[in-house]
Amino acid sequence: MTLYTDALQTLQRWQHSGWIRAVDLQFGRFVAQQQPVQPQLVLLAALVSQQLAVGNVCLPLARLKVASDWPAELAAELDTLQAIDWQPDGLLLGQGLQATLLVMDQQRVYLYRYWQHEMRVYQALLQRTAPVINDRGLLQQHLDQLFDATDQQPDWQQVAAALALRHSLAVISGGPGTGKTTTVTKILALYISQQLAQGITPRIKLAAPTGKAAARLSESISKAKQQLALPDTDSGLIPDQASTLHRLLGVRQGSIEFKHDVSNPLHLDLLLVDEASMVDLPMMSRLLQALPEQSRLILLGDRDQLASVEAGSVLGDICAWPGALHYSEACTEYLNQQCRLGADVRLMPAEQMPPAIADCLAMLRHSYRFSHDSGIGLLARAVNQGQPADVRELLSQPPADLDYKPLQEDSFQSAVQAVVEFHSSLLKQGGTDSAEAFLEQLPTLQLLCALREGPFGVSGLNQRVREGLVARGHVRGESPWYRGRPVMITRNDARLGLYNGDIGVAWPDENGQIKVWFPTSQGLRGLLPSRLPAHDTVYAMTVHKSQGSEFDHVYLLLPTEAQALLSRELLYTGITRAKGKLTLVAAEKTLLSATQQPIIRWGGLAERLWGPIR
């Protein structure tokens, strides 16, 4: 019994020092109650649970040997754990053949539920990689009609479209301004023409991880349909209203499961999911389980953006091809023929037969938003490629659309002042006169930061902006609710139809009563503040929360010291939220450190799809 007591005391010390969470401690205690059990397994179980807090799906045993990844004080216990030859242990540690608390697979230890999610995602993706039958003649005719001649050879948008029609699964990744939404709208038109030619009227659904991303997808698809001038029949079958994944699957109050699952699949023939980088492993598992067997799935996103807040990096794992992306010989010949690629631009097949998932992937490579000399585009590329020297050189003489201010008190104040000025202009006489007009102008300027707390975090910056508006007379009294307060929902509430990421504004109704107004497909909807689920003021928002959004002018403010949270992906995501102007307020050492610090999420999905990745 002393050994178990020692193990639990070790866990209490870890939790007191902040190395594990309270829930990890409780899980370790639960494992200890399943005696007889190795005391070291109690420690291992708590560490596996703790990995979820930092986004990892599992704990590779090799990580226990990497001293730099762990606090020095854990060294003695880690030495003990990594020296053990772990073997299946009854109901506690298994190999996935039966339900156990932990699963050992390829020297990675999972909680059983997360191992199950990973295997379901892997198997469901693999099942969708087989080619489907198309009318190639009709497809080539419509490809010629939808894709005009371009200087970009090959036309990667056309390649992506042809590829997407060949499989039940299509994964399309591209940076900002590469035409992802335009491309996918053309794909939907191509798919509809194929289905109608067979006498089938397809059912298509659009979805995104957050309400904000869903609203933006709806707007983008609607605009793209108008620009393409499609036949009324085809255009009418392309939906222009997207929902959140939670709404699509059907939330069950008080449950992590959804109404639609393997026994009650979704009623659709094709599903398009935008901002797929934000979808975590459990959500992707549940989504794939709810898809009808014969349906098609298109995942759209940017593989270089931040991964999901919760565990996993599904889009990054799917797109984790080693080296250059090449297709199988059959797929390459199909693309060369359908896209009419001449001998000088023909795609080359892989030297060896690639994994099946490769034929389902497309990479959009040309940005139509940023010119070759755009500071935003050049900075995003330098950060994404991990080139600190290029970042430093670019910031020394920034182009017109990029403004760099070393983090000092005056530059910090100027960033806050710019936001105060902007909101003041919307609220003063002659500014916006309605909640609708306010929300239309809100994406003009946005302050982004890396942290939630502290002077350089959301809470401190929001307070400073409010104080600035108080000084200008736009905010009176102590009430938290006043005209022009922008808010973001941070917790889903299916009953109200409000979801994490939805943005609204406090504004008086016709009777002068303050309500919070949110855009819907039927116009604005006003709710009393007392009815809102958890929410934040969003004069400033974190880079994580900004995913799925774009702003004309972004102020990106980073803290003084490099931190684990400041990664290459976070910096890249923050930079690429800006469409026209980026003002970067940060210490140079923070920027250079973040550029060299990519996020590494531990899991087995990439290796299952691609084989060992070096």
Side-chain angles (χ1 to χ4, degrees):
M1 194 65 186
T2 302
L3 292 176
Y4 297 109
T5 302
D6 291 344
L8 293 177
Q9 287 177 345
T10 297
L11 289 185
Q12 289 173 336
R13 176 167 57 84
W14 288 0
Q15 198 264 328
H16 180 74
S17 300
W19 299 328
I20 62 173
R21 304 165 296 172
V23 68
D24 307 324
L25 171 62
Q26 293 305 320
F27 183 61
R29 284 175 171 166
F30 176 75
V31 172
Q33 292 170 3
Q34 315 305 309
Q35 296 181 27
V37 59
Q38 297 181 67
Q40 291 86 354
L41 187 58
V42 175
L43 304 183
L44 183 68
L47 289 178
V48 173
S49 174
Q50 182 270 342
Q51 294 300 296
L52 300 177
V54 291
N56 294 326
V57 174
C58 63
L59 173 62
L61 292 178
R63 279 204 70 205
L64 298 174
K65 302 178 183 180
V66 184
S68 60
D69 283 1
W70 303 91
E73 293 86 345
L74 268 70
E77 291 92 351
L78 294 181
D79 285 344
T80 301
L81 294 179
Q82 63 97 4
I84 294 176
D85 180 19
W86 296 101
Q87 298 294 328
D89 183 8
L91 296 177
L92 297 178
L93 180 62
Q95 296 175 312
L97 302 177
Q98 60 181 356
T100 54
L101 289 176
L102 301 172
V103 173
M104 173 78 78
D105 188 345
Q106 299 295 315
Q107 292 298 296
R108 294 183 290 260
V109 187
Y110 299 78
L111 298 183
Y112 179 81
R113 186 179 59 201
Y114 281 83
W115 176 84
Q116 195 174 49
H117 284 318
E118 183 173 285
M119 292 303 297
R120 284 175 175 172
V121 169
Y122 165 64
Q123 292 165 356
L125 292 175
L126 211 59
Q127 289 168 1
R128 294 178 175 274
T129 58
V132 296
I133 298 175
N134 288 297
D135 183 334
R136 290 198 179 187
L138 181 63
L139 175 58
Q140 190 169 77
Q141 175 188 339
H142 288 158
L143 281 169
D144 292 342
Q145 292 172 353
L146 286 172
F147 291 90
D148 299 327
T150 174
D151 293 336
Q152 300 300 318
Q153 293 296 330
D155 181 347
W156 293 110
Q157 292 187 5
Q158 187 183 43
V159 169
L163 201 69
L165 268 290
R166 189 175 186 263
H167 300 273
S168 298
L169 170 68
V171 182
I172 303 173
S173 176
T178 52
K180 292 190 292 293
T181 307
T182 301
T183 302
V184 83
T185 305
K186 294 179 180 181
I187 291 171
L188 296 180
L190 291 166
Y191 171 70
I192 288 169
S193 68
Q194 290 277 322
Q195 296 297 98
L196 292 179
Q198 300 177 50
I200 301 171
T201 301
R203 300 163 298 175
I204 299 173
K205 298 284 188 182
L206 311 177
T210 67
K212 181 174 52 178
R216 183 165 166 264
L217 176 61
S218 301
E219 180 183 1
S220 300
I221 292 286
S222 181
K223 288 180 178 178
K225 284 167 55 176
Q226 296 172 8
Q227 293 170 353
L228 292 176
L230 300 170
D232 290 343
T233 305
D234 294 14
S235 180
L237 291 173
I238 300 178
D240 50 17
Q241 290 299 318
S243 71
T244 64
L245 292 174
H246 285 83
R247 274 179 277 188
L248 176 75
L249 293 175
V251 175
R252 286 180 173 173
Q253 293 297 324
S255 172
I256 62 173
E257 302 302 330
F258 294 97
K259 295 176 183 177
H260 290 287
D261 55 20
V262 68
S263 61
N264 180 31
L266 292 159
H267 304 293
L268 54 80
D269 300 301
L270 184 149
L271 174 64
L272 164 64
V273 179
D274 195 13
E275 298 294 343
S277 65
M278 300 169 65
V279 183
D280 59 59
L281 181 69
M283 175 58 82
M284 186 63 76
S285 171
R286 294 184 174 100
L287 177 65
L288 291 169
Q289 289 286 298
L291 287 179
E293 185 176 343
Q294 300 302 319
S295 66
R296 296 189 181 218
L297 173 65
I298 301 175
L299 299 178
L300 194 63
D302 184 348
R303 68 170 186 166
D304 298 315
Q305 279 192 30
L306 281 165
S308 56
V309 175
E310 303 300 329
S313 56
V314 179
L315 184 66
D317 290 341
I318 295 173
C319 298
W321 57 79
L325 175 61
H326 290 283
Y327 302 112
S328 68
E329 186 172 350
C331 184
T332 304
E333 184 55 36
Y334 161 86
L335 293 174
N336 286 328
Q337 179 184 13
Q338 295 297 133
C339 300
R340 299 184 188 274
L341 298 180
D344 54 336
V345 293
R346 287 178 68 84
L347 300 176
M348 298 300 294
E351 293 182 1
Q352 298 180 341
M353 186 65 179
I357 193 70
D359 284 352
C360 300
L361 306 184
M363 183 74 180
L364 303 183
R365 312 174 190 206
H366 177 73
S367 176
Y368 296 89
R369 178 185 304 168
F370 302 129
S371 62
H372 71 280
D373 58 351
S374 162
I376 299 173
L378 290 170
L379 182 61
R381 192 175 306 117
V383 168
N384 198 22
Q385 295 175 353
Q387 301 292 338
D390 292 348
V391 171
R392 183 187 289 113
E393 181 179 354
L394 188 59
L395 296 181
S396 65
Q397 292 184 315
D401 62 344
L402 178 61
D403 187 15
Y404 171 58
K405 300 178 183 297
L407 184 55
Q408 300 168 349
E409 183 61 27
D410 58 344
S411 58
F412 172 68
Q413 291 292 352
S414 69
V416 173
Q417 189 63 24
V419 180
V420 172
E421 292 278 358
F422 170 65
H423 281 269
S424 178
S425 69
L426 297 181
L427 296 172
K428 69 183 181 182
Q429 188 173 3
T432 53
D433 58 1
S434 67
E436 184 176 18
F438 186 97
L439 288 170
E440 287 177 355
Q441 291 296 315
L442 197 57
T444 302
L445 184 146
Q446 183 62 51
L447 178 57
L448 302 182
C449 50
L451 309 175
R452 283 192 51 81
E453 305 300 332
F456 302 105
V458 166
S459 57
L461 291 167
N462 280 331
Q463 181 60 31
R464 282 178 176 261
V465 174
R466 187 183 190 280
E467 291 169 356
L469 293 173
V470 168
R472 290 170 178 263
H474 297 299
V475 179
R476 297 182 178 88
E478 297 298 323
S479 172
W481 294 105
Y482 50 87
R483 174 176 170 265
R485 178 190 171 190
V487 297
M488 176 187 284
I489 300 301
T490 59
R491 183 176 301 165
N492 297 331
D493 190 323
R495 292 172 301 176
L496 290 175
L498 292 175
Y499 295 86
N500 186 11
D502 288 352
I503 289 182
V505 63
W507 204 271
D509 63 12
E510 64 274 11
N511 299 316
Q513 183 175 23
I514 287 286
K515 291 184 178 179
V516 186
W517 301 87
F518 295 89
T520 72
S521 57
Q522 288 78 41
L524 290 192
R525 174 191 180 205
L527 294 170
L528 292 173
S530 59
R531 297 189 63 196
L532 296 186
H535 55 273
D536 284 333
T537 304
V538 284
Y539 295 120
M541 70 173 72
T542 62
V543 173
H544 276 89
K545 289 293 186 182
S546 74
Q547 289 189 94
S549 296
E550 296 175 342
F551 309 96
D552 297 334
H553 186 176
V554 165
Y555 274 80
L556 179 56
L557 179 61
L558 301 181
T560 52
E561 299 295 330
Q563 302 181 23
L565 182 66
L566 297 178
S567 65
R568 178 183 302 168
E569 291 81 0
L570 183 140
L571 186 53
Y572 169 82
T573 302
I575 291 167
T576 55
R577 297 313 88 202
K579 294 194 296 183
K581 180 69 180 288
L582 172 68
T583 300
L584 188 56
V585 183
E588 183 180 274
K589 65 178 181 179
T590 302
L591 290 171
L592 301 184
S593 173
T595 299
Q596 299 174 84
Q597 184 169 300
I599 292 175
I600 298 176
R601 288 272 175 103
W602 297 105
L605 181 60
E607 187 170 320
R608 295 184 199 280
L609 291 170
W610 291 96
I613 296 175
R614 295 176 176 82

